[in-house]
Structures are given as structure tokens and as C-alpha cells.
Amino acid sequence: MSEPAVLRVVVDGAEREVAAGTTGAALYEGRRDVVAVRTTAVGGAPELRDLSRELADGDAVEAVEVGSPDGLDVLRHSTAHVLAQAVQSLHPQAKLGIGPPVRDGFYYDFDVEVPFTPEDLKALEKEMQRIVKEGQTFARRVVTDSEARAELADEPYKLELIGLKGGTGSPEAGDEVAEGASVEVGAGELTIYDNVRRGGEVAWKDLCRGPHVPSTRLLANGWQLTRTAAAYWRGDQANQQLQRVYGTAWPSKDELRAHLERLAEAERRDHRRLGAELDLFSFPDEIGSGLAVFHPRGGVIKREMEDYVRRRHVEEGFDYVGTPHISKQALFETSGHLPYYADTMFPPMELENAQYYLKAMNCPMHNLIFRSRGRSYRELPLRFFEFGSVYRYEKSGVVHGLTRVRGLTQDDSHSYCTPEQAPAEVEKLLGFVLGLLADFGLDDYYLELSTRGTGDKFIGSDEEWEQATEVLRGCAERTGLELVPDPGGAAFYGPKISVQARDAIGRTWQMSTIQYDFNQPARFGLEFTAADGSHQQPVMIHSAKFGSLERFFGVLVEHYAGAFPPWLAPVQVVGVPVAEDFAPHLHDVVRQLKAQGIRAEVDDSDDRMQKKIRTHSKAKVPFVLIAGGDDVEAGAVSFRYRDGSQDNGVPVAEAVARIVEAVRSRVQV
RNA sequence: GCCAGCAUGGCGCAACUGGUAGCGCACCCGACUUGUAAUCGGGCGGUUGCGGGUUCGAGUCCCGCUGCUGGCUCCA
């Protein structure tokens, strides 16, 4: 059957007839913002294609604009190609890994003899600039496995990807090859892209699935190389370590600039920086990596958090308990932690012929409290709660401010209940957690459901896991929040719902957790006496609301950029007299505030007023109360808020009431 | 743990190709003090993370350790 001369196609929803041989580029001529097309062939799934691809009869085609998520991916991946070309131009011996788009940019991995330096990065940017200016086109070419092997004989990593793809290629093959590698060898046929100069000369080529922007010129000035790092080939620690170069890429220079400005803003919010500036906490080298000390101002916030969550636990029917920081080895063998997690526990200390471990978790000790006497079904659900100090030997490279530490405080609870009670208990805990987040003003988070993975890391039967997972899934889904699956991310003893929050620099951190555990009750031989006199095993629900007090603290600092709502602010009110003579008036106001439990003080220093305002603005004090002659005469004070706005001549009684109410209601001001 | 980079008074920075450490803020002292983000003057403070080496001489070069930063792996 010969090709028809006229093709019937659908372009952005509208039926059209075009001549055979028409390309996407022809359809969108003059549309500089279109970088690729999304084509749905007859009977096929939508697929991103180069603009240069010819249409077939019956194709439905949509424009992929550079600003759309797919368009940005195409742009960023194309930039990665230019980077790779630049690297091989300056370092001919470099072997290619993979080069996918990532959030805000791209990376490309290389095997090079000598790791890249910052100077190399500059040289690479220069070379990339040259390639971009040349306006090379990306030309797609379908090859067979054996052709690809012949052409890429010098590229061992690409050969490996071809091998992994396994010839025919199932739809999932790309995903299983390596994270990000689907951009090189996707489903179906293998393709090589040639970078072609104006004169038709092939400047460079790479095994790649595409699509790409039509010409390197489209990359314009919207990209930048950002950093270098090492990365394991195919993400496996056992593999060769490659050199990764990260970059960012945007449709225009303005958008690049805006991105860089966002990064600068994130840096200003970084809790490590604000922690030092606001005198909240520090990490003395003398104590050790990942071990924080809280200064008086940070201590206020920490105590407010503790007071809040302790009170809330009691209100929710938890019993406050206490357990030690160390324990003999056998306890953690019983719990299963030692066989499974010994390498993240600090090494033991030996005394009196016994091995003592710093505890990395509280549950085993709570189990002993449960077991300390006979338990009745009437007591269930029985809920134990404490601030448990735990120590985990986190690898040196992962310690990070307050969000990844080696010594942390969990607001840890364990609910012991019957299997029948478990769903309601999980529901209750989830409601508790979400209410807590709301009270702290957190809104940027999502839920994650961590389930059993493959391997022998997980204990218990499939049926038990299935049942526990379904209980958690049902509760999580009923919240209506975004729920992200996390296969293989469960604890060894059971599945988990967690709340994931994003920090200032885009990293996500696990905060609140709810875990369903049917294993430990069995390992500890926990039982209760049922109504019929029989002895039965409870299930336990682990839950941490903040997760780690330290991590939650760090996320709060970033969330508020250090400008805490009044109820959390270390200093809530500072009085600034316009001149010395008016200080007594403010002392009187502060006395009234303190009587209401407000953290208030008067700035009696001999700085001038303007300097005092600057000082307390920088300290992000929520209420600065200013008083001069007018205020004293009127029995009033003048508010200055953190945004610089003023409210002058407020009667003292009203001012006090206003502040007390702001603290009580936990609002932001 | 792996790769790379960094490490100067409390904080932020300076010190040409190696020649015996400077500045601002903070802090202390004194003077000043009338309306919303820095008053003026003076002073204290570092042997340049720790240990070793090269050199006539090291903050500057080399090695080891500790810590930090960015990734990777990991994360109960």
C-alpha cells in the first residue's frame, strides 16, 4: 500500500489535511515557543517527538510549549546534551553516563580520570556557549542494537544501557535501567542523535531517546552550570563513581535570573544561617557532628513546642511515661533492631560484662512498660507518650543542620490496641497530626505511604503486611491530601504513613509518622486478657507528631524565615522609648504584659531610637512598642510591626489585650 | 561511607607570585538621646580548625585528622 499524498491529522484538536511529509516544524512555523510535539498515533499512546519528525496519517498532534513541564524537560535535556558535547570536546577521554532533566535543570554523568574543578566548569560553560551560538541541529536517526554497539564501541556505559534494554524493550525497560536513563533508551527502537553543524558536518552524537529542541540556538542565555558532584553509576554504591555536572536551564535569561533570585531567597531562609543570626542554636565542634545545643532564644521555641505537644497528648488520652537513654543489648535483639539496624546505632559500650547501646528508638522500652503487669482489654487502647532522646549514627556525609542529626528528640507515642480498634486509632492519630501542623501554620506538605519492599529487610507475613497497609492507606486517602507511594520505604516491622515537608532549598523531610506494627507485640510477647478470659496479642501503632523536635524546629525556622508567630517568638514584645524620659512608661506596660505571661522587655540601652528599631527588626520581634511624649500623655503606646507598618496611640489596656490575644490564638502578625 | 570544595577574632570578610595578620558588625567604656532600620569617640579581642612536614621564613606549599558545604548512597 502506498502512502497517501494527503494526510488527515488532528492539530491541537482541530482536524486538518496536510501534505505527506509534513513535519511538526511546518505545522508550528513561526511559533518560537514550540519545542516539540506530543503525537498520538492511531492506536498508540501519546509520545513526545521532535519537531522534525514527519506526520503519519491519523496522527493527533499537540504543541509542546517550552514553558510547559514537558517543554522544560526537553529544553533541559537538550542543554545536558550540549554539556556532554562540551565535555567530550575538552576532555576527549570522558565516557558518557546519563543526562536527564531534573527539577529546575539537568545533569550529566561522566567517567573522567580527574574530577572536574570549578575552573573546568567555567571552561565548559564557555565551550557550551560556543556550541549554542553555532546553532547546531539535533538530528534523529534510528539504529539497530548492533549498529548502536558498533558506533558506541568507546562508550562502555551506553553499551551497558543497550544491553539492559534487552533488544525488543518492554514499556518499563527504561525505568528499570537506572533512574533517569529512560531518556537514553526508552521503549521500542534505539535512536542516536547527531549534532549537525550548519554545513551538514556531524559535530557530535549520543545515544538518546529524545526529543530535543530543534537547534542549540533555542537554549539562548537561559542556562548555567551550577555544581559538580560524584554519583554512583546507576545509583548503586557498589558501582563505579562518576562525575556529575549539574546545571539549570530556563526558556529565557529573565527566568534564569528569577530562578537564581529564588535560590538566594532560599539561602536567606536557610535554618542553619538563621539559627546563628537569631542566636537560636549551634553545633559546637567540640561536641561532635550532628549534635545541637539550643541557646536561650531557641530554648524558648523548643519549650513552647514541647509544652504544646505534651498538653495535646494528654488531651488526646495519652499517658506520659519516661525511659532511659541506654539499654543492654538483649532488648534491641528482642525488638529486632539490632539484627536489622545495627549499623545506624552507635557502637556499644561494655560494662559489667554487658554491652550497652544508646537507644535509637523508644518502642522497646514502652513495650516493657506495657508488659510490666497484666493488661485488660478494658485498658485498650493504651497510649504511652514521651519525649524520647535517641541517637543514630548517621553517616558523616548526610548530617545536615537540624534536619538530619545524630541526637534527636522524638515526641514518640505507642498505642496498644486490638486489631479491631486499629483503624479508628490510626484515624485519630492522623487527625491529631494534621491538627498539630495547622496549629503551627504549616501548609506545604504531603503524605507518603511507605510499604514493604523486596528483600529480607522486612519481617512478618505477606497477609499481615497487606492488612496493615490497607488500614493505613484507607485512613490516608480519607484525608483528601496528596498521597505519594513509597514502595520499600517501610520500617522493618510495618508500613508507615508519613508527612513530608519541603525545606527552603527544596529538600523534603519526613516529619510526622504513623506506623502499624504487628511484629513487636509478638517479639515481646505482649498480651492482654480479653472479655472471654483468653489471652490475646495487641497491635501497636507507633506515632511521632513532630517526628523529631529538632527537624520540626528547623522546618519551622525556614517556613517563617525566622519571623515566628507571636506565640513562638523568643521575645514577643520590646519597648523602645523615644527618649530616656519615656522608659518608665514602657516599663509599666511591660510589667502588665509579663503579668499575662508575655515575653516582653524594654530596651534600656544607650543606643538611639532608630538603632533600637533596627536591632529589634533584625531580631524579628513581632511587636515593637514605641512611646514618646504623645503616648505618655495619652496613656498609650505605638505599635511597630515587622513589616514596618505602624499603629500609633493605642491605649495601653487595648495594646496589652491585643498582644495577649495574638499569642493566645497563635496567629501570625 | 564515597567524590569534590572549604576552614582567618562571636558573625561577615581582607592579606600580590610564601616575608612574621587588617576591616566592618557584635562586645566593653565614655559622651549623646523627642517619633519609626545604623550618633560620635575610645577600647578589648585572632599565633589564622587540630597535628605533622617542606623552607632562612607558611594564613599562603605538602600529608594526616576534625568540622562544614554541595552531591551520591543511606535514612527505624
mmCIF file of all heavy atoms in Angstrom, chain A residues 83 106 120-122 124-125 128 223-227 245-248:
data_model
loop_
_atom_site.group_PDB
_atom_site.id
_atom_site.type_symbol
_atom_site.label_atom_id
_atom_site.label_comp_id
_atom_site.label_asym_id
_atom_site.label_seq_id
_atom_site.Cartn_x
_atom_site.Cartn_y
_atom_site.Cartn_z
ATOM 1 N N LEU A 83 26.117 20.155 27.111
ATOM 2 C CA LEU A 83 27.146 19.968 28.143
ATOM 3 C C LEU A 83 28.019 18.755 27.808
ATOM 4 O O LEU A 83 29.246 18.827 27.853
ATOM 5 C CB LEU A 83 26.485 19.785 29.509
ATOM 6 C CG LEU A 83 27.377 19.215 30.625
ATOM 7 C CD1 LEU A 83 28.504 20.184 30.954
ATOM 8 C CD2 LEU A 83 26.561 18.917 31.879
ATOM 9 N N PHE A 106 19.167 20.113 34.955
ATOM 10 C CA PHE A 106 19.596 18.861 34.347
ATOM 11 C C PHE A 106 20.934 18.455 34.964
ATOM 12 O O PHE A 106 21.555 19.233 35.699
ATOM 13 C CB PHE A 106 19.804 19.061 32.837
ATOM 14 C CG PHE A 106 20.854 20.101 32.534
ATOM 15 C CD1 PHE A 106 22.194 19.751 32.392
ATOM 16 C CD2 PHE A 106 20.503 21.445 32.422
ATOM 17 C CE1 PHE A 106 23.163 20.718 32.144
ATOM 18 C CE2 PHE A 106 21.477 22.415 32.176
ATOM 19 C CZ PHE A 106 22.803 22.045 32.039
ATOM 20 N N ASP A 120 37.187 24.101 35.581
ATOM 21 C CA ASP A 120 36.703 23.285 34.471
ATOM 22 C C ASP A 120 35.279 23.690 34.100
ATOM 23 O O ASP A 120 34.925 23.746 32.921
ATOM 24 C CB ASP A 120 36.698 21.798 34.860
ATOM 25 C CG ASP A 120 38.109 21.236 34.968
ATOM 26 O OD1 ASP A 120 38.979 21.727 34.234
ATOM 27 O OD2 ASP A 120 38.319 20.324 35.773
ATOM 28 N N LEU A 121 34.494 23.968 35.122
ATOM 29 C CA LEU A 121 33.109 24.343 34.888
ATOM 30 C C LEU A 121 33.033 25.603 34.035
ATOM 31 O O LEU A 121 32.213 25.696 33.111
ATOM 32 C CB LEU A 121 32.423 24.586 36.247
ATOM 33 C CG LEU A 121 31.107 23.863 36.505
ATOM 34 C CD1 LEU A 121 31.243 22.378 36.268
ATOM 35 C CD2 LEU A 121 30.638 24.115 37.938
ATOM 36 N N LYS A 122 33.889 26.550 34.350
ATOM 37 C CA LYS A 122 33.893 27.805 33.584
ATOM 38 C C LYS A 122 34.272 27.528 32.135
ATOM 39 O O LYS A 122 33.653 28.054 31.206
ATOM 40 C CB LYS A 122 34.891 28.801 34.206
ATOM 41 C CG LYS A 122 34.327 29.511 35.414
ATOM 42 C CD LYS A 122 35.262 30.616 35.896
ATOM 43 C CE LYS A 122 35.103 30.849 37.393
ATOM 44 N NZ LYS A 122 36.329 30.655 38.156
ATOM 45 N N LEU A 124 33.904 24.781 30.570
ATOM 46 C CA LEU A 124 32.811 24.047 29.933
ATOM 47 C C LEU A 124 31.683 24.990 29.514
ATOM 48 O O LEU A 124 31.111 24.843 28.434
ATOM 49 C CB LEU A 124 32.269 22.966 30.882
ATOM 50 C CG LEU A 124 33.183 21.757 31.077
ATOM 51 C CD1 LEU A 124 32.662 20.856 32.182
ATOM 52 C CD2 LEU A 124 33.315 20.964 29.777
ATOM 53 N N GLU A 125 31.392 25.951 30.373
ATOM 54 C CA GLU A 125 30.338 26.917 30.032
ATOM 55 C C GLU A 125 30.711 27.678 28.771
ATOM 56 O O GLU A 125 29.877 27.940 27.918
ATOM 57 C CB GLU A 125 30.136 27.908 31.184
ATOM 58 C CG GLU A 125 29.293 27.338 32.307
ATOM 59 C CD GLU A 125 28.787 28.409 33.267
ATOM 60 O OE1 GLU A 125 29.421 29.483 33.338
ATOM 61 O OE2 GLU A 125 27.782 28.160 33.946
ATOM 62 N N MET A 128 30.260 25.436 25.860
ATOM 63 C CA MET A 128 28.824 25.269 25.599
ATOM 64 C C MET A 128 28.271 26.491 24.880
ATOM 65 O O MET A 128 27.484 26.364 23.941
ATOM 66 C CB MET A 128 28.057 25.059 26.909
ATOM 67 C CG MET A 128 28.258 23.682 27.526
ATOM 68 S SD MET A 128 27.519 23.550 29.170
ATOM 69 C CE MET A 128 25.757 23.594 28.787
ATOM 70 N N TRP A 223 20.639 29.350 30.563
ATOM 71 C CA TRP A 223 21.180 28.206 31.312
ATOM 72 C C TRP A 223 22.464 28.579 32.034
ATOM 73 O O TRP A 223 23.093 29.602 31.751
ATOM 74 C CB TRP A 223 21.461 27.044 30.346
ATOM 75 C CG TRP A 223 22.357 27.469 29.223
ATOM 76 C CD1 TRP A 223 21.984 28.027 28.046
ATOM 77 C CD2 TRP A 223 23.780 27.411 29.219
ATOM 78 N NE1 TRP A 223 23.078 28.320 27.298
ATOM 79 C CE2 TRP A 223 24.203 27.958 27.986
ATOM 80 C CE3 TRP A 223 24.740 26.942 30.114
ATOM 81 C CZ2 TRP A 223 25.548 28.058 27.638
ATOM 82 C CZ3 TRP A 223 26.079 27.041 29.767
ATOM 83 C CH2 TRP A 223 26.483 27.600 28.541
ATOM 84 N N GLN A 224 22.867 27.723 32.935
ATOM 85 C CA GLN A 224 24.093 27.940 33.704
ATOM 86 C C GLN A 224 24.492 26.616 34.339
ATOM 87 O O GLN A 224 23.628 25.859 34.775
ATOM 88 C CB GLN A 224 23.795 28.968 34.800
ATOM 89 C CG GLN A 224 25.000 29.531 35.482
ATOM 90 C CD GLN A 224 24.603 30.650 36.449
ATOM 91 O OE1 GLN A 224 24.165 30.392 37.560
ATOM 92 N NE2 GLN A 224 24.736 31.890 36.020
ATOM 93 N N LEU A 225 25.771 26.344 34.386
ATOM 94 C CA LEU A 225 26.233 25.169 35.136
ATOM 95 C C LEU A 225 26.286 25.571 36.598
ATOM 96 O O LEU A 225 26.679 26.685 36.929
ATOM 97 C CB LEU A 225 27.615 24.712 34.646
ATOM 98 C CG LEU A 225 27.665 24.243 33.185
ATOM 99 C CD1 LEU A 225 29.054 23.730 32.838
ATOM 100 C CD2 LEU A 225 26.625 23.158 32.933
ATOM 101 N N THR A 226 25.882 24.672 37.474
ATOM 102 C CA THR A 226 25.780 25.075 38.874
ATOM 103 C C THR A 226 26.792 24.398 39.790
ATOM 104 O O THR A 226 27.410 25.036 40.611
ATOM 105 C CB THR A 226 24.361 24.823 39.409
ATOM 106 O OG1 THR A 226 23.970 23.494 39.069
ATOM 107 C CG2 THR A 226 23.391 25.816 38.795
ATOM 108 N N ARG A 227 26.987 23.094 39.668
ATOM 109 C CA ARG A 227 27.919 22.445 40.579
ATOM 110 C C ARG A 227 28.336 21.084 40.049
ATOM 111 O O ARG A 227 27.728 20.535 39.128
ATOM 112 C CB ARG A 227 27.301 22.262 41.962
ATOM 113 C CG ARG A 227 25.972 21.547 41.920
ATOM 114 C CD ARG A 227 25.353 21.454 43.306
ATOM 115 N NE ARG A 227 23.999 20.934 43.212
ATOM 116 C CZ ARG A 227 22.912 21.689 43.187
ATOM 117 N NH1 ARG A 227 23.023 22.980 43.289
ATOM 118 N NH2 ARG A 227 21.715 21.149 43.093
ATOM 119 N N VAL A 245 27.801 16.667 36.581
ATOM 120 C CA VAL A 245 27.768 18.118 36.469
ATOM 121 C C VAL A 245 26.304 18.528 36.449
ATOM 122 O O VAL A 245 25.527 18.013 35.638
ATOM 123 C CB VAL A 245 28.469 18.606 35.185
ATOM 124 C CG1 VAL A 245 28.364 20.131 35.066
ATOM 125 C CG2 VAL A 245 29.929 18.164 35.179
ATOM 126 N N TYR A 246 25.931 19.414 37.361
ATOM 127 C CA TYR A 246 24.562 19.920 37.411
ATOM 128 C C TYR A 246 24.470 21.276 36.738
ATOM 129 O O TYR A 246 25.404 22.074 36.803
ATOM 130 C CB TYR A 246 24.111 20.105 38.866
ATOM 131 C CG TYR A 246 23.667 18.849 39.558
ATOM 132 C CD1 TYR A 246 24.548 18.106 40.335
ATOM 133 C CD2 TYR A 246 22.353 18.411 39.454
ATOM 134 C CE1 TYR A 246 24.143 16.962 40.991
ATOM 135 C CE2 TYR A 246 21.926 17.263 40.108
ATOM 136 C CZ TYR A 246 22.825 16.541 40.881
ATOM 137 O OH TYR A 246 22.413 15.411 41.522
ATOM 138 N N GLY A 247 23.329 21.521 36.126
ATOM 139 C CA GLY A 247 23.083 22.834 35.559
ATOM 140 C C GLY A 247 21.621 23.184 35.690
ATOM 141 O O GLY A 247 20.798 22.334 36.051
ATOM 142 N N THR A 248 21.317 24.441 35.431
ATOM 143 C CA THR A 248 19.933 24.875 35.434
ATOM 144 C C THR A 248 19.652 25.465 34.059
ATOM 145 O O THR A 248 20.562 25.974 33.415
ATOM 146 C CB THR A 248 19.679 25.893 36.567
ATOM 147 O OG1 THR A 248 18.291 26.203 36.613
ATOM 148 C CG2 THR A 248 20.476 27.174 36.379
#
